[in-house]
Each structure stands twice: as structure tokens, then as C-alpha cells.
Amino acid sequence: MKTEPDANTVTHPEGQGQYPASRPVGVETVPASSSWTKAEPAPLMEAVIDKANMARAYRKVVANKGAPGADGMTVHQLADHLKQHWPTLRERLLAGEYHPSPTRAVEIPKPKGGTRQLGIPTVTDRLIQQALLQVLTPIFDPGFSESSYGYRPKRSAQQAVSAMKAHVGAGHRWVVDLDLEAFFDRVNHDLLMARVARRVRDKRMLRLIRRYLEAGMFQHGLTAPRRQGTPQGGPLSPLLANILLDDVDKELERRGHRFCRYADDMQIYVRSRRAGERVMASLSDFLESSLRLKVNRAKSAVDRPWHRGYLGYTLTRHKLPRLTLAKASLQRLMQRVREILRRGRGRHIRRAIDELTPVLRGWASYFALVDVKRPLEALDQWMRRRLRCVIWRQWKRPATRRRKLRALGLDTYRAWKSAGNGRGAWWNAGASHMNQALPRKWFDQLGLISVLDTVRRLTRSS
């Protein structure tokens, strides 16, 4: 069982023991003559700007790439910028005088429709946030719930899905599916900072975190102030979300509930509808009164698990449930494939397949846990039909189609009859003459991966 750090000790961010209360944070950690700033030395901010920590943060930010912030600086320009400005930036951080730049507002589509607004920090602020994250994670993460899976080291959405399957298989065949309305936009700064201050006593770090929370949003040439919420898009936001929602986890553990939480996606598993309705009412009240978060009543529900998807998966209703794809997951991939192939109508089919390959491989890797393979087989067949449809359109005229079909092995009469049948591209893509001319083996040779085979291979290797 994990133990909480003693109230009179402070855990070192790199896991190197604890400082006793007789040596308070902020006293005698760095000689006063080491800096000309008016900083009050303390271990955490020194750990943030430590050379090794900053180098690790720099590598992470560069590897993640990402769009420029409000200042237009790219990750490729960061090294030159730091060579010139790092000494001043370092002293401002140590003195508690650094003020972040506003984030750049960007809207992205939501999987279920609508848009989500992100706040993209400048590259410099992403670097500082990443350095903060690397110091704060070892302090907070060990105390988080075992049922929390989102944005944590050595934890994943797939582990949350496996836990969901185990809870339902153990007889908890009703789910309380809670949706928090605009969670990242509604986080109360004072409540969040009070929870951060439980473990962090370096006032410079606390001020810096609050400044990141309050950094304005730059949009349409104007900067709008931020009075609540933690902007999605920066490295620090997921950890701050987990810190706030850890109170919910602890409350659910205190009540003895089985649950899974991935960031703000939360499900609680119970044995009856009546128990689920009680949990829904009491937990909604806890979230709204204690954390000032709003439950979206329209999207939340007490229902059977096989009627509610979770993280792209859903369950069958068998006594021993099996994982299968949520319909929305399949539809999103199919829409993505359509978009890629729509762009590829005027180019060689091999280039379209090359663009599809990483999308399909990543999707198959995420959904490698599915037990029901039939939808994957149907997906592979649909994908090949879409490609045949593109090829049929590219051939355009009956004479070209006849020549191509002959070259692909059809006899003269069948090629002539098929080329002039007057049917549409989608019908021809599923007809026997195109299946014979362009069989699965032909697509395999071009490098088209099979989602079903990829999932099976990943399942065997795990």
C-alpha cells in the first residue's frame, strides 16, 4: 500500500530521499552569493532549471514538434534562442519574475462533432512547462489512484479498457458514465492551486504555475484574459487535471467503488441500476459542490456497459464480456480513409497506400485488444473496395478500362462487357471482375496492410 509523505517532510523531485522539517524548503539550499537575483533559494525551482532536467525537456519538446505559439517561433529555432537568452531566462525563473506569454488559440474538431479550443503555448513556455512536469510528476504521481490511467507514466488507455472488461466480468454489469461539461475550461484556479500547494512549498513554483493558468489566449489579434480553466495544448495541463480530479478518485475509493478514469473520461461500475442512480446523484453533487465542475446531464447516463463506449471500445453482453469496437471508432477511421483517398484520386494508388499505412498501423495498434475480429475483417474488405473504386474512376473511359482489365488477366469478352456496363464506380469496385483483376494479393504487393492481420500479430506478440 502506498503511503503519503509525512507532513513534516518534503520529497525530493528526483526521488533522492526527503528533507526534514528542521531544514525548511527555501533555506540554505543554494549559497546566497550564487545569484544576483532577489530569489529565495528552494530545491524545486533549482531542480526545474537544472542542466540535465532542461536538456531532457528540450529533447522532449523538439521530438514532439508541434505548431508555433503566439510569437511564431518554431522548435527548430529554439536552440538559437536559448543560446542567446537562457542566462536571463534562468535568472528570471529563479527570482520568481518570469511571466509566460499568451497562448495561441486553435480550434480542432471533436471526434463526436463540434470543435475544441486548444491554447498552444510558445515553444519557450512549452520547454519550461515540460521541465516543470518532469519535476512535479515524481512528487504527485505516486499518490494517484490505481484506477487513474490518463497521462501518467507507464499507464495507458488500453490498461483502462482492460480494467473496464475485468470489472464488468466480475458482475458489475451497470455503468455510471459521467461526462464533465467543458472540464478543461471550468477548472477553478484557487481550488487547483490549493491542491498543488499540498505538496509544493516553493512559492516561486506556485506563482509560476498560477501564471500559466492565468496566461491569456491570443486570438484574432487580441489577448483575452483567463480567469478559470487550464488550457489544453501545454505539457503541464494533463498533470494539473489529474491533481484536481484525484479528489474524485479518493472519494470513489473511500466508498469502495470500482471505476476507471482517463483524464476527464470517467466510468463507475455497479451491480444494479438503482445503485448506479444513487452513485450518479451523489457523485454529481460532489463534483459540483466540492470541485465546482459541471456534469453534462444530457451526455451522462446509467446504462449497460455494452450501450456505452469507453475510449473507443465497447463490450459484448456475454456473461464473460468480450471487447469489440465502438461504432464511432470504426466510423471515424472510415472517414479518415475517405479523406485520404479523396486527395489521392489524381495520383498513383501506391502513394495513397503509403499515406494510409501509418494511419492504419497506429489505429490497429490502439485497438489490438479487441476480441471480436469480424468488424476488422469487414473493414479490410471495405478498404480494398474503396481503393478499387478510386482505380476505376482513374481509368475513366471504357476503352481504358477494357485495356486495363485485359492487362490484369481478364479475358477479352469479359473485359469488354465489364468496361461498358454503365454502372457506377462503387458498384464496379465490389463486382467480381474488379475483385478478380485486383485481388487482395495485388494490394499486399503494393504495401497495403491488413488491420485484421496487424491486430492478430500484435495480440500474439503480447
Side-chain angles (χ1 to χ4, degrees):
M1 183 177 71
K2 292 184 174 66
T3 58
E4 297 291 331
D6 189 277
N8 296 317
T9 63
V10 178
T11 304
H12 190 284
E14 296 299 327
Q16 299 172 7
Q18 295 177 324
Y19 299 113
S22 59
R23 180 179 145 192
V25 177
V27 178
E28 298 179 357
T29 54
V30 176
S33 60
S34 65
S35 172
W36 55 266
T37 69
K38 57 183 179 182
E40 179 178 311
L44 289 187
M45 190 56 79
E46 274 69 17
V48 170
I49 58 93
D50 176 73
K51 184 177 180 180
N53 187 58
M54 292 302 300
R56 187 155 63 98
Y58 174 82
R59 290 193 295 270
K60 184 75 172 177
V61 169
V62 171
N64 286 344
K65 300 178 181 178
D71 62 356
M73 185 191 302
T74 67
V75 292
H76 304 295
Q77 298 170 312
L78 180 58
D80 290 338
H81 176 79
L82 291 176
K83 286 177 184 177
Q84 183 178 356
H85 298 287
W86 173 244
T88 303
L89 181 60
R90 180 182 184 276
E91 295 300 334
R92 289 172 64 196
L93 288 167
L94 287 173
E97 295 176 349
Y98 179 77
H99 290 264
S101 301
T103 59
R104 181 171 66 88
V106 174
E107 290 191 347
I108 62 170
K110 288 183 178 180
K112 297 180 181 179
T115 60
R116 174 184 288 116
Q117 188 175 68
L118 302 184
I120 307 300
T122 64
V123 178
T124 303
D125 283 325
R126 293 211 293 271
L127 175 70
I128 297 170
Q129 284 194 37
Q130 180 63 36
L132 284 168
L133 177 68
Q134 292 166 184
V135 169
L136 291 172
T137 296
I139 296 173
F140 285 96
D141 191 79
F144 288 156
S145 168
E146 289 295 318
S147 298
S148 168
Y149 298 92
Y151 306 105
R152 297 182 57 193
K154 299 180 181 179
R155 294 198 156 239
S156 67
Q158 290 168 314
Q159 290 175 324
V161 169
S162 295
M164 169 187 71
K165 179 182 177 182
H167 294 326
V168 176
H172 296 72
R173 295 170 69 84
W174 287 89
V175 61
V176 181
D177 194 353
L178 268 170
D179 184 271
L180 296 177
E181 187 174 307
F183 166 72
F184 284 93
D185 296 330
R186 291 181 179 272
V187 169
N188 182 281
H189 291 172
D190 292 335
L191 287 175
L192 173 56
M193 290 308 304
R195 282 149 181 78
V196 175
R198 292 172 183 172
R199 300 288 186 90
V200 174
R201 303 185 187 180
D202 187 332
K203 291 182 179 179
R204 299 167 302 173
M205 182 176 281
L206 292 173
R207 281 196 300 268
L208 181 58
I209 294 171
R210 183 175 275 277
R211 284 170 185 164
Y212 273 119
L213 290 173
E214 295 175 348
M217 185 85 76
F218 185 78
Q219 189 175 26
H220 307 307
L222 298 172
T223 300
R226 178 180 288 274
R227 295 182 177 85
Q228 65 176 6
T230 172
Q232 293 176 267
L236 200 55
S237 291
L239 176 64
L240 296 178
N242 278 333
I243 290 172
L244 183 64
L245 290 175
D246 187 56
D247 278 23
V248 185
D249 300 341
K250 295 299 189 288
E251 178 66 15
L252 288 169
E253 288 177 340
R254 186 185 66 79
R255 300 181 188 183
H257 289 306
R258 294 178 178 234
F259 69 97
C260 294
R261 184 177 67 78
Y262 190 93
D264 59 330
D265 286 328
M266 192 183 320
Q267 288 193 343
I268 303 98
Y269 306 94
V270 294
R271 293 184 180 274
S272 69
R273 176 183 284 278
R274 187 174 178 182
E277 289 170 348
R278 285 198 304 267
V279 171
M280 174 70 81
S282 61
L283 195 58
S284 297
D285 180 66
F286 175 83
L287 287 163
E288 292 174 356
S289 61
S290 298
L291 299 182
R292 301 184 195 176
L293 298 172
K294 186 175 181 181
V295 175
N296 188 327
R297 310 282 178 173
K299 293 184 178 180
S300 301
V302 177
D303 206 342
R304 293 293 194 178
W306 42 88
H307 295 155
R308 310 291 294 189
Y310 189 56
L311 301 176
Y313 286 81
T314 191
L315 291 167
T316 64
R317 61 178 68 204
H318 297 94
K319 187 173 183 180
L320 291 178
R322 303 167 70 195
L323 286 171
T324 186
L325 291 172
K327 287 183 179 179
S329 303
L330 199 57
Q331 289 168 355
R332 284 195 294 271
L333 177 66
M334 292 170 73
Q335 182 57 33
R336 181 83 176 100
V337 170
R338 289 188 188 100
E339 291 169 0
I340 292 173
L341 296 185
R342 196 174 293 125
R343 296 196 301 267
R345 286 179 182 174
R347 56 182 173 171
H348 194 282
I349 200 68
R350 187 188 296 275
R351 291 183 61 189
I353 289 174
D354 289 343
E355 191 174 347
L356 279 174
T357 297
V359 174
L360 298 179
R361 186 171 285 124
W363 191 90
S365 178
Y366 180 79
F367 287 102
L369 295 181
V370 294
D371 301 311
V372 181
K373 302 295 195 295
R374 188 174 298 172
L376 303 181
E377 184 178 5
L379 177 63
D380 281 337
Q381 294 171 354
W382 176 86
M383 200 108 51
R384 290 191 291 270
R385 185 171 179 178
R386 293 297 307 185
L387 288 165
R388 292 187 188 104
C389 186
V390 171
I391 293 169
W392 185 262
R393 285 197 177 102
Q394 287 179 344
W395 289 347
K396 293 183 180 177
R397 292 179 297 181
T400 304
R401 290 168 179 167
R402 185 170 63 250
R403 188 177 72 253
K404 294 288 188 179
L405 290 172
R406 284 283 295 119
L408 289 166
L410 269 65
D411 62 66
T412 303
Y413 175 74
R414 193 174 182 205
W416 170 79
K417 187 175 180 181
S418 300
N421 61 32
R423 301 273 192 163
W426 183 245
W427 185 91
N428 276 282
S432 60
H433 57 270
M434 284 295 281
N435 278 272
Q436 181 181 334
L438 302 173
R440 174 177 174 171
K441 183 178 179 181
W442 187 87
F443 290 106
D444 291 343
Q445 291 171 348
L446 284 180
L448 179 66
I449 68 168
S450 162
V451 172
L452 177 61
D453 290 348
T454 304
V455 167
R456 281 174 172 166
R457 186 168 58 252
L458 290 169
T459 304
R460 286 195 300 268
S461 64
S462 63

